[in-house]
Amino acid sequence: MDATPLPRLGWRTQAVLDALMEDPSREVWPYWLDQREPTRGGDNYQILKRLAEAGWLTTRHETGKPNARVLYKLTAAGEALAREAVERPVKWPARASRRPS
């Protein structure tokens, strides 16, 4: 499946993409992202879901665990789009921290 470019990417989505781009081969889950940037207010699930629906991420459901998670990982096409997306100008609120470029 090809990845679809997204017309709007806010600061929260860019922050998620920043975290994913630190290690594009890493599988992540919403709570992991929440712990990295607690100021996001739990939007990470919706952001990851939207990126997966657009083909930027693959999903994998853990099995054999009581509290199985859905894990997300960048696709090759998603990684290419993410590289471009994190460079787009976005107004970041003062309370948000952005990974230095």
Side-chain angles (χ1 to χ4, degrees):
M1 175 174 148
D2 290 327
T4 305
L6 297 173
R8 288 186 16 239
L9 294 176
W11 71 270
R12 287 182 169 99
T13 302
Q14 278 200 347
V16 168
L17 292 172
D18 279 344
L20 291 168
M21 292 301 293
E22 288 177 14
D23 180 359
S25 65
R26 174 190 293 146
E27 290 182 310
V28 302
W29 55 99
Y31 184 72
W32 180 83
L33 289 167
D34 289 343
Q35 294 306 300
R36 293 174 52 88
E37 287 287 342
T39 60
R40 293 210 191 104
D43 292 333
N44 292 318
Y45 169 76
Q46 291 300 324
I47 291 168
L48 290 169
K49 183 178 173 187
R50 182 171 76 122
L51 291 170
E53 288 170 353
W56 293 42
L57 305 174
T58 60
T59 59
R60 181 175 70 85
H61 295 264
E62 284 185 321
T63 57
K65 293 187 175 184
N67 294 320
R69 302 174 290 202
V70 177
L71 302 172
Y72 298 86
K73 183 176 142 189
L74 281 166
T75 63
E79 183 179 347
L81 289 169
R83 286 189 195 287
E84 294 174 22
V86 296
E87 298 304 320
R88 292 183 194 171
V90 169
K91 183 173 179 162
W92 287 69
R95 71 181 187 279
S97 62
R98 179 154 191 197
R99 180 177 55 85
S101 301

